[in-house]
């Protein structure tokens, strides 16, 4: 895909912030934002190095453990303190063979499919079944069990791109809980149209969750072009009239063969990696900034979420380099987010009772920040105004809705910790999300640096806020 490069219209701001005072004999030390605008970008090197040296890093696997060792080393070498791994246990699921064919009534054709996380296995021989077609998740929910029982459910649910990514919650239900609904109604398996906005033959994986007591069924996603093909065949199958003598309407079922052999490996270790910039006031509550270290296994997890770790860490580095902040900045590279936010839960179990001034997360790719949202106490009204003014020069406008943070800090925010969202442009995020196309070349270094600049401006203000603003 061709990347739309953002013009370097921040260059003028950089010149302004870096300009030496006219009469001084020595130039003033650079501000944190000045550092973010010039020189090498630590967000890029973290993203490039992690995706190159580790690559895919599924939760609970050896690759994720290697990523944690890599992370500890990198965060120490950048000068952060209290760098540590905090382990937790979690159930581990890994992909196996995955193949699907449309087998009738037309000529057999292979489809591009990926199993969803927590999918059951079909066994090596696979299974054959009639397809039960549903236009949407809601149509499946409304269907009687007799329409589903023993069949392979298909949910046709085309997600459209939006700048704020808001379609994910609505369309995503087909993946999040579609398999659970199909299993409850007695389906043999489920295949969904990928929760994605691209037209590549890349299936989009992602986790699905079965309720306790519901026996998991095989569950996969096919690419958008394959879903289009399935739908064309399904429509034609409805019109097949094998009995031409009577011309009676006798639709043929559309048939599929499915082979998915993922495995549950039982309980294994994962872990969070934590690092800090110590604040000058040890009594002040810390600012927590998060991302997730694990990724899906199909790509190298560049936009999801190596870039997020790069962005938050680069911002902390720039604030640290410009002078010690008043509050401690705690960086959380969460483990096992993709498969059920196990790292975020483990962090909350271990630290949820500690005071946190405010929580932020970067987990929506590497395209530019376009909006800032707040969920702050009334005492922090002026603080919110200062942040909105500081990020405005970089093209960021103030939103009207409350910030909701990210998955890994979700439990903290639900418990009342204030939040700031630096919302990224999600227009092409779901072209790449959870596919083999989530690779480094999709990251635009100019937009990545804009993220770091906006984060640095925001973090510098938050980390130096007073106790009367953020208790
Ligand atoms: Zn993510
Ligand atoms: Zn993800």
């Amino acid at each position: 895909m061709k990347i739309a490069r953002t013009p370097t219209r921040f260059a003028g701001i950089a010149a302004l912030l870096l300009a030496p005072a006219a009469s001084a004999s020595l130039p003033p030390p650079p501000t944190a934002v000045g550092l973010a605008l010039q020189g090498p970008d630590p967000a890029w090197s973290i993203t490039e190095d992690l995706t190159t040296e580790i690559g895919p890093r599924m939760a609970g696997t050896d690759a994720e453990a290697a990523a944690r060792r890599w992370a500890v080393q990198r965060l120490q070498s950048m000068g952060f303190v209290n760098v540590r791994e905090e382990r937790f246990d979690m159930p581990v699921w890994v992909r196996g063979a995955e193949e699907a064919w449309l087998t009738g009534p037309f000529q057999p054709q292979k489809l591009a499919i990926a199993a969803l996380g927590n999918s059951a296995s079909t066994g090596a021989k696979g299974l054959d079944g009639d397809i039960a077609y549903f236009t949407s998740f809601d149509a499946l929910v409304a269907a009687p069990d007799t329409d589903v029982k023993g069949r392979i459910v298909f949910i046709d649910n085309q997600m459209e791109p939006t700048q704020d990514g808001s379609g994910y919650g609505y369309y995503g239900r087909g993946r999040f809980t579609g398999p659970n609904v199909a299993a409850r109604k007695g389906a043999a398996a489920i295949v969904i149209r990928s929760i994605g906005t691209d037209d590549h033959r890349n299936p989009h994986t992602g986790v699905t969750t079965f309720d306790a007591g519901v026996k998991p069924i095989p569950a996969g996603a096919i690419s958008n072009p394959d879903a289009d093909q399935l739908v064309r065949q399904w429509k034609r199958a409805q019109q097949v009239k094998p009995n031409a003598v009577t011309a009676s309407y006798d639709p043929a079922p559309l048939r599929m063969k499915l082979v998915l052999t993922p495995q549950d490996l039982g309980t294994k270790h994962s872990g969070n990696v934590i690092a800090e910039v110590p604040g000058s006031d040890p009594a002040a509550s810390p600012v927590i900034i998060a991302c997730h270290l694990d990724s899906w296994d199909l790509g190298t997890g560049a936009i999801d979420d190596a870039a997020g770790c790069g962005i938050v860490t680069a911002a902390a580095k720039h604030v640290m380099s410009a002078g010690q902040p008043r509050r401690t900045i705690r960086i959380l590279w969460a483990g096992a987010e993709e498969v059920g936010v196990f790292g975020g839960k483990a962090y909350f179990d271990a630290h949820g009772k500690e005071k946190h001034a405010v929580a932020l997360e970067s987990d929506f790719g590497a395209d530019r920040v376009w909006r800032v949202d707040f969920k702050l106490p009334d005492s922090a009204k002026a603080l919110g105004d200062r942040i909105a003014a500081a990020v405005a020069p970089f093209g960021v406008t103030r939103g009207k809705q409350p910030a909701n943070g990210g998955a890994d800090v979700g439990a903290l925010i639900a418990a009342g910790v204030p939040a700031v969202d630096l919302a990224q442009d999600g227009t092409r995020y779901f072209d790449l999300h959870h596919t083999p196309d989530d690779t480094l070349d999709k990251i635009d270094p100019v937009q990545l640096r804009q993220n770091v600049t906006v984060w640095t401006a925001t973090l510098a203000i938050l980390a130096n806020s007073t106790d009367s603003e953020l208790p």
Side-chain angles (χ1 to χ4, degrees), residues 135-157:
T135 50
S136 65
F137 171 77
D138 293 319
L140 170 63
V141 170
D145 293 4
T146 47
D147 285 2
V148 172
K149 208 167 177 52
R151 299 191 191 180
I152 300 174
V153 164
F154 174 73
I155 302 180
D156 185 12
N157 195 16

Side-chain angles (χ1 to χ4, degrees), residues 193-209:
R193 177 189 284 274
S194 281
I195 310 302
T197 52
D198 61 307
D199 55 9
H200 288 197
R201 287 194 77 186
N202 283 332
H204 295 235
T205 191
V207 77
T208 192
T209 310

Side-chain angles (χ1 to χ4, degrees), residues 287 319 323-327 386 459-466 469:
V287 174
V319 171
Q324 189 177 25
R326 194 178 84 82
R327 295 179 188 274
R386 290 209 300 285
L459 187 59
I461 293 170
L462 290 173
N464 289 296
S465 58
T466 65
E469 289 175 318

Side-chain angles (χ1 to χ4, degrees), residues 292 296 304 337-338 429 433-434:
H292 66 84
W296 280 104
D304 188 12
E337 186 272 348
E338 292 290 7
Y429 184 66
H433 184 244
H434 298 180

